[in-house]
Amino acid sequence: MLKKWIALAMAAVFVLSISGAAMAAGKLVKVPTAWMDEHETFLIWYAKEKGWDKEAGLDVEIKYFNSGADILNALPSGEWVFAGMGAVPAMLGNLRYDTIIIGNGNDESMTNGVVVRKDSPIAKVKGWNKDYPDVLGSPETVKGKTFLVTTVSSAHYALSSWLNVLGLKDSDVVIKNMDQAQAVGAFENNIGDGVALWAPHLFLAMDKGGVLAADLKMCKKGNPIVLIADAKYANAHPEITAKFLGIYLRAVNMLQKESAESLVPEYRRFFLEWAGKDYDKGLALKDIQKHPVYNLEEQLVMFDDSKGQSQAQKWQGEIAEFFTTVGRITPEEAKKVKDGKYATNKFLKQVQTPIPSYK
């Protein structure tokens, strides 16, 4: 009888230990992340909707912010550990908050640009600089004009790059700082001569009759949306960082393989439910089509610095150089970020493969 009771007791302990292990295994790691109402956020939102974060043992929180600057300002209070933002604020993040770039969200060179009105003299001149045949405007039509822009942003980079193509600089025009929604509304109400925007605001302004004077691609500039991390957190938790990237890249695989048209309903639902914005089918389709994304293999090539500066690091270096010339960062600050080494492939290399199927 004693042996029987001992056996039963041991069995009970075994069952409890298995159950405890299962509970421990099922405990999710909460991961606060920061995003804007943009294309790159659709991917992490979609992954969250499908439960892919939980499959990886994470509970990803998707927090809404109005701009990259707002995201950066929230870091010291511990609001997030990973985020998506433009390459411009990502550079400032490394300078001021010790953030690092851990991956690519998408390419926004075609979705950051300057819009003017149809009847503007700027819209009447095309190819003033023969090296940039599709760019509108000339020094005479642009100098002294007023432009609405979210300063020190990718849209500002587009504005400054356009001015540079025309032989001008920021000081040759009047720049009014506004967030994107304010800028679109003000421009629609005939305030300013032009507006610098990122998507989908860029497409909204064009749908309302605006003319694209130039985007970053026309100005021969790269402009990635990047995935950034609090360096201290990422280095302390490399396995969580790699899992986060794996979840995002699973959505990238979906986006690359499914047709843009088939994704429009979910894309519109994302904007309506998460951002509170009701975009029509045409705008949603355009936004998907204009944002190339890169899978793990492509990103490993983009971030490969084994033979010198990687492409990702070069883009960051170009941005640092440009913002130094327009006086937005000091030469001393530029020295700290011009090599772009804060764009690292360390965590991309740790993503477990094969990445699970998105179906």
Side-chain angles (χ1 to χ4, degrees):
M1 181 66 71
L2 181 61
K3 287 182 179 178
K4 184 176 180 181
W5 278 108
I6 290 172
L8 286 170
M10 290 180 67
V13 169
F14 179 68
V15 168
L16 285 171
S17 68
I18 291 176
S19 147
M23 285 178 66
K27 188 176 182 181
L28 301 174
V29 177
K30 195 171 286 293
V31 180
T33 63
W35 307 84
M36 291 172 280
D37 54 342
E38 293 192 44
H39 173 273
E40 68 274 4
T41 310
F42 171 66
L43 283 85
I44 195 66
W45 175 88
Y46 188 91
K48 179 78 177 177
E49 288 286 297
K50 294 295 183 181
W52 295 343
D53 58 335
K54 289 180 172 58
E55 287 182 30
L58 306 183
D59 178 12
V60 175
E61 295 180 282
I62 308 172
K63 299 185 177 184
Y64 182 102
F65 289 85
N66 285 318
S67 68
D70 288 345
I71 291 175
L72 292 176
N73 291 336
L75 180 58
S77 62
E79 282 282 305
W80 57 271
V81 293
F82 305 123
M85 64 174 58
V88 173
M91 173 197 68
L92 296 175
N94 181 256
L95 270 175
R96 314 239 159 99
Y97 299 100
D98 193 31
T99 60
I100 54 175
I101 294 174
I102 58 172
N104 180 283
N106 58 43
D107 176 8
E108 286 214 327
S109 58
M110 293 183 289
T111 59
N112 279 263
V114 181
V115 173
V116 297
R117 296 185 181 84
K118 283 183 180 179
D119 59 357
S120 169
I122 297 169
K124 310 302 181 187
V125 182
K126 185 176 181 180
W128 176 86
N129 185 331
K130 291 181 170 47
D131 293 331
Y132 303 87
D134 296 321
V135 170
L136 304 184
S138 65
E140 295 75 23
T141 58
V142 172
K143 195 169 184 179
K145 297 295 191 296
T146 297
F147 293 91
L148 317 178
V149 62
T150 307
T151 55
V152 196
S153 68
S154 55
H156 188 177
Y157 185 41
L159 173 64
S160 297
S161 298
W162 173 60
L163 293 173
N164 189 52
V165 166
L166 301 178
L168 301 173
K169 48 188 183 293
D170 282 18
S171 59
D172 290 318
V173 298
V174 177
I175 291 177
K176 288 193 174 183
N177 182 28
M178 296 183 180
D179 69 35
Q180 293 284 283
Q182 286 178 322
V184 172
F187 186 67
E188 191 177 359
N189 286 307
N190 293 314
I191 297 172
D193 300 288
V195 59
L197 301 163
W198 59 67
H201 307 282
L202 178 71
F203 302 138
L204 279 173
M206 292 167 66
D207 284 348
K208 292 177 179 180
V211 175
L212 183 66
D215 59 32
L216 279 165
K217 189 175 181 68
M218 291 179 192
C219 296
K220 302 180 182 179
K221 296 290 183 182
N223 184 53
I225 284 289
V226 292
L227 305 178
I228 74 166
D230 174 10
K232 185 177 179 181
Y233 181 90
N235 288 320
H237 304 283
E239 72 290 345
I240 293 175
T241 307
K243 283 181 178 181
F244 166 74
L245 286 171
I247 294 163
Y248 193 88
L249 290 165
R250 189 172 177 180
V252 165
N253 290 344
M254 177 277 298
L255 206 62
Q256 286 189 332
K257 292 173 183 175
E258 295 296 320
S259 70
E261 290 79 5
S262 70
L263 294 172
V264 165
E266 282 292 87
Y267 199 71
R268 293 183 69 205
R269 184 167 77 86
F270 153 67
F271 268 104
L272 185 60
E273 294 182 3
W274 189 78
K277 296 181 177 178
D278 189 6
Y279 292 135
D280 64 39
K281 293 178 182 178
L283 178 62
L285 179 61
K286 188 184 296 184
D287 208 34
I288 296 169
Q289 293 172 330
K290 292 282 187 176
H291 283 92
V293 292
Y294 306 95
N295 61 32
L296 177 59
E297 293 73 21
E298 291 166 332
Q299 296 216 25
L300 286 170
V301 172
M302 187 183 296
F303 281 79
D304 180 17
D305 59 358
S306 61
K307 298 178 182 177
Q309 200 176 31
S310 70
Q311 179 60 68
Q313 291 168 346
K314 285 178 182 175
W315 280 330
Q316 295 304 128
E318 288 174 357
I319 288 169
E321 181 181 353
F322 193 81
F323 274 88
T324 307
T325 63
V326 298
R328 293 291 171 169
I329 63 173
T330 67
E332 291 72 27
E333 288 176 321
K335 287 178 184 177
K336 298 176 184 178
V337 291
K338 66 179 181 180
D339 59 10
K341 286 191 178 296
Y342 58 94
T344 175
N345 59 10
K346 174 181 176 180
F347 304 102
L348 284 167
K349 288 180 175 179
Q350 296 179 54
V351 173
Q352 287 193 0
T353 55
I355 293 172
S357 171
Y358 66 90
K359 292 187 176 179

